[in-house]
């Protein structure tokens, strides 16, 4: 370091990008730049692939998509004056790279290419990107910045350790890190450890917003070299997080703590030097730090994720509103609440569709919930329609006992009615099934699985109840207590209850978490005290239902292992256990 690092004002542009909307993303980036300059920021940091949106998937195979992104980046660069900007984009050079552009003085000053490409869970980056091979640093106002992208900092060691050994007092990480329950806290703990290990500030800017099944939660962070929190962005909200830091404290800490000197002598890392960036006007801050948003409680966090995921799916895909069947059960009740909180009551409609097996109580509760939320309600009696099916199938079904086939006709009639309304008015049909039901196949293909988006697809049944209780604590309770307290039932035959077909939900969810999310086998589950006969039964049901799940609509990921993008198993599969 040739001069003492001076205080630095940093702005983290925690923005909601839309995949493929390159013009819209670029416009939003320019707007954040203007706001950051007005705030006196000398460095403005944007999320990973902010120009293109994340994840672009097979759009990255289109050369014209990549070219449009580069044109937009060059235009953004011309807009960068009186500050330095770090912007994520998909770079098409000798290959395709997940890159960070350093913008200053109206042009692209340099580019860093992501070195670690995740290829697990929801990630598929090795399908699309070539990895970079060199860490990179740049200097601004006497401060050396180390440049990293998302997975680069999750991996212990290089490139984060390389830039620290090369003298970086500040390690910047641009990210598009998808949400699951507790992910924000996991990230903060990991970044705190990286800051302490590197004796450097960590500046972390994350994407926010919904993209198909994924939700990005923001939660951007600035952490100093001692692991102390300097700033934290809000969860699930766009925000410009402005924070003043004093990088000289990192340099002073390295003089006092010399543990990295041997490594720096022995291992001279290969690091690209982007150069000394045109220094914006120094902002004389009186103290370091920035806003520190308080993290949400665990269940409130999930509820907020569901609302954001639904809102962005509807708005980014230009649906006119949403529609779902309101049964008087707990799942459709929670779906209704999330829809209203996400979109407003004027964009939400429901259909109450009683069959001869529907109880008076559930139908009354369904109507009361719709009235409490102020949503438009349609009513369709199924008895006459069921009679038509019975007549059409009478000869073929003659001599057989009524069973599941007759029960599921009711669900499929409901699905047809909802899809008719969807086709006529352009409303997105929401399915209301939960993860517990999808896991064991307790759902009807082309019936209650018919729709365009599954709000609760990754929400276990026990969590559905907790979220419903949570929603009722916010102002006046809207979910009738009968819905919450009544034993759950599909109401497809007289006296039916879920417990007739399934273990108690607390036991079922415990088995499913171990088997589905943790990939534990039969013997491991039994050693955890779970009844062997129930374990065997649940495992059979999960395995047999794979073909159903493959046909389910997309839904919001909120657990570490969601069906679809996360958990991929063959339908034809004879491995048991």
């Amino acid at each position: 370091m040739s001069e003492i690092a001076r205080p630095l004002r940093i702005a983290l542009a925690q923005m909601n990008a839309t995949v493929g909307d390159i013009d819209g993303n670029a416009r939003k980036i320019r707007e954040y730049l203007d706001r950051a300059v007005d705030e006196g920021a000398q460095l403005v940091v944007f999320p990973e692939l902010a120009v293109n949106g994340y994840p672009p998937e097979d759009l990255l195979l289109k050369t014209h998509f990549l070219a449009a992104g580069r044109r937009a980046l060059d235009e953004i660069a011309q807009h960068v004056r009186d500050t330095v900007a770090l912007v994520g984009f998909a770079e098409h050079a000798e290959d395709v790279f997940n890159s960070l552009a350093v913008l200053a003085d109206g042009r692209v000053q340099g580019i860093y290419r992501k070195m670690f490409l995740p290829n697990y869970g929801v990630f598929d980056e090795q399908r699309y990107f070539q990895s970079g091979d060199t860490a990179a640093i740049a200097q601004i106002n006497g401060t050396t910045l180390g440049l990293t992208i998302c997975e680069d900092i999750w991996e212990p060691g290089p490139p984060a350790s390389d830039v620290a050994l090369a003298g970086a007092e500040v390690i910047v990480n641009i990210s598009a890190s998808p949400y699951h329950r507790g992910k924000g806290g996991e990230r903060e703990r990991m970044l705190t450890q990286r800051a302490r290990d590197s004796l450097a500030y960590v500046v972390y800017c994350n994407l926010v917003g919904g993209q198909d099944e994924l939700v990005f939660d923001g939660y951007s962070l600035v952490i100093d070299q001692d692991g102390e929190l300097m700033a934290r962005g809000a969860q699930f909200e766009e925000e410009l997080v402005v924070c003043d830091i004093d990088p000289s404290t990192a340099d002073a800490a390295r003089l006092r703590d010399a543990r990295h000197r041997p490594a720096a002598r022995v291992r001279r890392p290969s690091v690209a030097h982007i150069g000394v960036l045109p220094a914006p006007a120094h902002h004389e801050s009186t103290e370091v730090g920035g806003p520190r948003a308080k993290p949400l409680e665990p269940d409130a966090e999930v509820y907020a994720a569901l609302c954001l995921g639904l809102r962005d799916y509807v708005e980014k895909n230009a649906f006119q509103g949403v529609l779902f069947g309101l049964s008087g059960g707990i799942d459709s009740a929670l779906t209704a609440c999330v829809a209203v909180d996400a979109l407003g009551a004027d964009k939400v409609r429901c259909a109450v569709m009683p069959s001869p097996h529907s109880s008076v109580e559930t139908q009354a509760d369904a109507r009361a919930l719709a009235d409490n939320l102020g949503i438009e309600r349609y009513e369709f009696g199924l008895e006459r329609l069921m009679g038509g099916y019975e007549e059409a199938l009478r000869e073929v079904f003659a001599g057989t006992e009524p069973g599941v086939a007759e029960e599921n006709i009711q669900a499929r009639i409901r699905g047809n009615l909802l899809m008719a309304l969807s086709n006529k008015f352009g409303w997105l049909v929401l399915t209301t099934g939960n993860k517990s039901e999808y896991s064991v196949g307790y759902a009807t293909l082309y019936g209650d699985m018919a729709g365009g988006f599954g709000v609760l697809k990754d929400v276990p049944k026990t969590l559905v109840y907790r979220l419903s209780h949570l929603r009722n604590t916010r102002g006046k309770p809207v979910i009738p207590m009968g819905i919450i307290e009544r034993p759950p039932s599909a109401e497809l035959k007289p006296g039916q209850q879920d417990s007739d077909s399934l273990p108690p939900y607390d036991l079922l969810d415990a088995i499913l978490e171990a088997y589905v999310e943790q990939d534990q086998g039969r013997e491991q589950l039994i050693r955890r005290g779970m009844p062997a006969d129930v374990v065997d039964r649940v495992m059979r049901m999960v395995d047999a239902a794979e073909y159903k799940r493959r046909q389910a609509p997309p839904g919001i990921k909120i657990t570490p292992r969601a069906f679809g993008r996360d958990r991929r198993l063959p339908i034809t599969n004879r491995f048991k256990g």
Side-chain angles (χ1 to χ4, degrees), residues 8-190:
L8 194 64
R9 176 162 287 185
I10 299 172
L12 308 180
Q14 184 173 286
M15 61 176 276
N16 187 339
T18 300
V19 168
D21 186 10
I22 291 174
D23 291 341
N25 295 337
R27 182 168 55 253
K28 184 171 287 191
I29 290 170
R30 290 192 297 270
E31 290 169 355
Y32 272 108
L33 280 167
D34 290 342
R35 288 174 55 192
V37 170
D38 288 344
E39 293 278 356
Q42 297 149 292
L43 178 67
V44 192
V45 185
F46 290 86
E48 179 180 12
L49 294 187
V51 173
N52 308 81
Y54 189 94
E57 299 183 310
D58 278 12
L59 289 175
L60 291 164
L61 306 180
K62 301 177 183 291
T63 55
H64 48 294
F65 172 75
L66 299 167
R70 182 59 198 239
R71 284 195 302 271
L73 178 74
D74 291 336
E75 292 170 2
I76 292 166
Q78 296 172 22
H79 195 77
V80 179
R81 306 284 179 178
D82 302 319
T83 193
V84 173
L86 308 180
V87 180
F89 78 109
E91 178 194 9
H92 188 197
E94 66 273 17
D95 206 323
V96 180
F97 299 90
N98 184 339
S99 296
L100 179 160
V102 181
L103 312 180
D105 202 23
R107 66 185 184 89
V108 178
Q109 301 283 340
I111 290 174
Y112 165 73
R113 294 168 174 172
K114 186 175 183 178
M115 296 176 67
F116 283 94
L117 303 176
N119 218 60
Y120 56 85
V122 301
F123 301 107
D124 207 10
E125 290 198 16
Q126 291 181 26
R127 173 182 170 92
Y128 303 109
F129 295 115
Q130 180 60 270
S131 58
D133 56 10
T134 308
I137 59 175
Q139 286 189 318
I140 173 175
N141 283 12
T143 295
T144 301
L145 306 176
L147 308 179
T148 64
I149 302 174
C150 202
E151 193 77 6
D152 289 337
I153 207 165
W154 284 88
E155 183 68 24
S161 61
D162 280 357
V163 296
L165 291 173
E169 298 95 353
V170 178
I171 300 174
V172 178
N173 185 264
I174 67 170
S175 184
S177 179
Y179 167 80
H180 62 69
R181 281 186 292 172
K183 183 71 171 290
E186 293 173 19
R187 275 196 234 104
E188 184 168 344
R189 290 188 291 274
M190 180 274 295

Side-chain angles (χ1 to χ4, degrees), residues 374-511:
I375 58 178
E376 189 171 355
R377 182 177 81 233
Y378 302 95
E379 300 236 4
F380 303 99
L382 301 193
E383 187 168 7
R384 182 172 58 84
L385 296 171
M386 290 169 62
Y389 275 83
E390 289 171 5
E391 183 60 34
L393 294 166
R394 186 182 306 280
E395 184 176 342
V396 179
F397 281 10
T400 65
E401 291 295 321
V404 173
E406 287 81 0
E407 293 173 24
N408 285 344
I409 285 172
Q410 300 164 63
R412 292 184 174 123
I413 292 172
R414 289 172 175 139
N416 275 322
L417 291 170
L418 292 172
M419 290 309 302
L421 293 171
S422 173
N423 290 162
K424 179 63 70 173
F425 301 111
W427 301 327
L428 172 69
V429 174
L430 304 179
T431 60
T432 61
N434 60 67
K435 187 173 189 175
S436 306
E437 294 171 347
Y438 279 144
S439 295
V440 296
Y442 196 63
T444 304
L445 274 176
Y446 326 119
D448 55 329
M449 292 179 70
F453 198 63
V455 177
L456 307 182
K457 181 182 177 182
D458 198 36
V459 182
K461 185 76 168 192
T462 49
L463 181 54
V464 169
Y465 277 101
R466 295 206 309 272
L467 294 177
S468 299
H469 280 288
L470 173 70
R471 180 58 178 82
N472 263 7
T473 65
R474 297 179 174 180
K476 182 180 178 180
V478 293
I479 303 177
M481 287 308 297
I483 291 178
I484 294 176
E485 295 175 349
R486 185 182 301 113
S489 169
E491 291 195 330
L492 297 178
K493 63 181 180 180
Q496 184 180 34
Q497 293 188 4
D498 289 5
S499 57
D500 299 336
S501 305
L502 303 174
Y505 277 114
D506 55 351
L507 174 59
L508 176 62
D509 283 354
I511 295 173

